[in-house]
Amino acid sequence: MNLHEYQSKRIFAQYGIPIPRGEVASTPTEAREIAGKLGGKVVVKSQVLVGGRGKAGGIKLAVDKDDAEEKAKAILGMDIKGLTVKRVLVDEAADIKDEIYLGLVIDRARRRVVMMGSSEGGVDIEEVAATMPDKIVKVAIDPCIGFRSYQAMDLATALGIPKELTRSFGQIASGLYTAFVENDASLAEINPLVVTGDGKLLAVDGKMSIDDNALYRHKALADLRDPSEEDPYEVEARRFDLSYVKLDGNIGCMVNGAGLSMATMDMIKLYGGAPANFLDIGGGATAERVAAALRIILSDQNVKTVLINIFGGITRCDEVARGIVAALDEVGAAVPMVVRLVGTNEAEGRAILADAKMDPATTLAEAAQKAVAASKS
Ligand code: GDP
Ligand code: MN
């Protein structure tokens, strides 16, 4: 789950990271009031879950409260990379002398949280990585020892942080690490961390992603979820307790079990096709859930064919078949479907599907080959 800038920065502040004073507005009038309270110049910032808002025109400086109202009027309702801006953050404007990048990610190969820093802050870190990889400094953190002050020193030196700011930098870096660990984040990033005209460090932009699998133990964070900013199909899938991840291919997959889902995707790849999604309907899926799954798959415009692969253990094949028929009654089968049903009540399942004009397959290999062929015809 991705957090908005204002949410991320509020968390950062709880860990001692300096952020600009500011508040969130959903109308130009509110933006004006906030700017009035802050006094002086402000920056009006669109709150949408995408990067590069600055370049897209979603971040504007305002000289006073009248100007802030105007800027908010321009930004609210704006479309940024397909997302409509519903809220803006009105922050005290920073006097920026220098922009630094500071972020934390999980490096699976190293099995460590890695802190990355770059003197080339403000721009996309992906761009820095592609064009000037030597401008990125990395420090791997031992989970048993935690983030140490010598690591902060090393980073500060490599990033060219002025001597008088190394202490503050150390506190920010260490605060960011604690925020990352305590909130089960998969990403925490300050871009830019700025050096201000009066010689202070300030986190001007913030971004955090929280591991969905840990949300059960972060009730307050889970409540911050904003479904209107997420893929509508993934929202729908969550409502029905389905594990669904959209992918780029054109073969829709409906499978029971995460392992079998991955094996199915591998087989599709092996035979030269590309899966449109990962979808695990889980064990003991009801007809209602199966129908929801099929609706989600078929609402993806890229889907050219559907591969249903069910291994009935706890899940009963007849129940799955009833779900498929129910979904098809509702949405209609616009694309060819290949179905492999084996296990508990498979004969009953097949009988239910006999009228549904599905291409039956016995083995997974056969099913994958048929689906790939259908996706290319
Ligand atoms: P992003 O484009 O979505 O990453 O949004 P940021 O919050 O990082 O803002 C983009 C850029 O706008 C920053 O790198 C700064 O150069 C500039 N910016 C943001 N806030 C301020 C501010 O308070 N004062 C000034 N002068 N520039 C700002
Ligand atoms: Mn940024």
Side-chain angles (χ1 to χ4, degrees), residues 32-173:
R32 178 197 178 84
E33 280 162 19
I34 297 166
K37 258 194 283 178
L38 293 172
K41 283 190 203 161
V42 295
V43 55
V44 182
K45 313 180 77 175
S46 54
Q47 298 298 291
V48 280
L49 296 174
V50 287
R53 296 164 302 160
K55 274 191 214 150
I59 293 178
K60 295 190 196 299
L61 284 164
V63 290
D64 57 19
K65 59 184 180 183
D66 292 336
D67 196 17
E69 185 175 355
E70 285 306 308
K71 298 287 155 66
K73 209 175 277 173
I75 296 175
L76 285 163
M78 186 185 248
D79 178 285
I80 299 183
K81 298 180 185 170
L83 296 171
T84 307
V85 181
K86 289 179 300 182
R87 275 164 302 182
V88 290
L89 172 64
V90 182
D91 261 2
E92 198 172 35
D95 171 17
I96 300 180
K97 218 174 77 187
D98 213 351
E99 304 194 32
I100 296 158
Y101 173 94
L102 190 66
L104 286 162
V105 290
I106 294 168
D107 185 329
R108 288 168 195 276
R110 289 205 232 185
R111 293 183 289 176
R112 293 271 192 281
V113 172
V114 168
M115 187 174 284
M116 291 191 295
S118 174
S119 53
E120 305 301 305
V123 291
D124 260 357
I125 196 66
E126 287 82 4
E127 203 178 306
V128 180
T131 55
M132 321 175 250
D134 53 313
K135 289 280 186 187
I136 299 178
V137 198
K138 293 183 186 176
V139 169
I141 303 163
D142 185 323
C144 300
I145 306 173
F147 185 71
R148 311 306 297 175
S149 54
Y150 75 86
Q151 295 178 306
M153 285 302 181
D154 286 353
L155 269 170
T157 309
L159 299 179
I161 306 271
K163 272 252 149 33
E164 61 279 12
L165 287 178
T166 45
R167 218 178 102 87
S168 168
F169 177 79
Q171 282 163 355
I172 292 169

Side-chain angles (χ1 to χ4, degrees), residues 155-194:
L155 269 170
T157 309
L159 299 179
I161 306 271
K163 272 252 149 33
E164 61 279 12
L165 287 178
T166 45
R167 218 178 102 87
S168 168
F169 177 79
Q171 282 163 355
I172 292 169
S174 154
L176 191 64
Y177 178 71
T178 312
F180 183 96
V181 173
E182 288 189 357
N183 292 287
D184 289 310
S186 51
L187 174 96
E189 175 178 280
I190 306 174
N191 188 25
L193 172 66
V194 307

Side-chain angles (χ1 to χ4, degrees), residues 292-314:
L294 199 53
R295 271 201 314 271
I296 292 167
I297 293 173
L298 291 174
S299 53
D300 178 348
Q301 298 301 314
N302 292 336
V303 168
K304 286 254 170 10
T305 177
V306 177
L307 169 49
I308 300 168
N309 183 20
I310 303 297
F311 189 86
I314 301 168

